[in-house]
């Protein structure tokens, strides 16, 4: 017989999508320093990366709101990362760059 086992769905970040879309649109229209490191919080981890929530006011003047963004596993460390959980966990504060 065929197994009906499904892989567990990843935990959702709980972010407000409409508010995040508004904040992302404002960020896209604004000019900001994409080399600046800002603090974010890991809100979800998956096999391929971590979702990090940032306060957009750290990105540029006149911006407000929070946005969840993906940090791909290949960008989590300068060294090879075998597991996202080996580098970060939900709730960790991390430094990220918005590009």
């Amino acid at each position: 017989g065929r197994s009906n086992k499904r892989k567990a769905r990843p935990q959702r970040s709980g972010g407000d999508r409409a508010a995040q879309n508004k904040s992302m649109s404002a960020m896209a229209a604004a000019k900001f320093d994409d080399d600046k490191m800002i603090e974010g919080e890991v809100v979800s981890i998956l096999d391929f990366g971590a979702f990090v929530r940032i306060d957009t006011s750290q990105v540029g003047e006149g911006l407000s709101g929070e946005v969840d963004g993906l940090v791909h596993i290949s960008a989590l460390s300068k060294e090879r990362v075998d597991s996202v959980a080996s580098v970060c966990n939900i709730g960790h504060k991390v430094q990220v760059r918005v590009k």
Side-chain angles (χ1 to χ4, degrees):
R2 204 158 87 168
S3 174
N4 286 334
K5 290 183 183 177
R6 285 189 165 180
K7 190 171 184 179
R9 293 192 80 144
Q11 177 182 341
R12 299 240 180 216
S13 69
D16 178 341
R17 285 188 181 185
Q20 287 192 21
N21 285 337
K22 184 177 178 183
S23 294
M24 286 190 301
S25 293
M27 278 180 34
K31 294 189 179 203
F32 60 90
D33 180 1
D34 64 0
D35 287 325
K36 179 180 177 184
M37 297 298 284
I38 60 173
E39 184 176 274
E41 180 179 349
V42 177
V43 293
S44 179
I45 59 173
L46 303 166
D47 291 342
F48 55 85
F51 279 93
V52 175
R53 180 165 297 151
I54 62 163
D55 176 350
T56 60
S57 66
Q58 296 179 80
V59 177
E61 287 185 39
L63 297 174
S64 64
E66 294 180 327
V67 172
D68 294 353
L70 174 66
V71 179
H72 191 265
I73 190 170
S74 64
L76 290 172
S77 175
K78 291 181 180 182
E79 293 82 36
R80 179 173 168 74
V81 174
D82 293 323
S83 162
V84 174
S86 71
V87 179
C88 62
N89 287 301
I90 295 172
H92 279 179
K93 300 290 185 187
V94 294
Q95 294 294 308
V96 296
R97 183 174 24 240
V98 177
K99 292 209 174 227

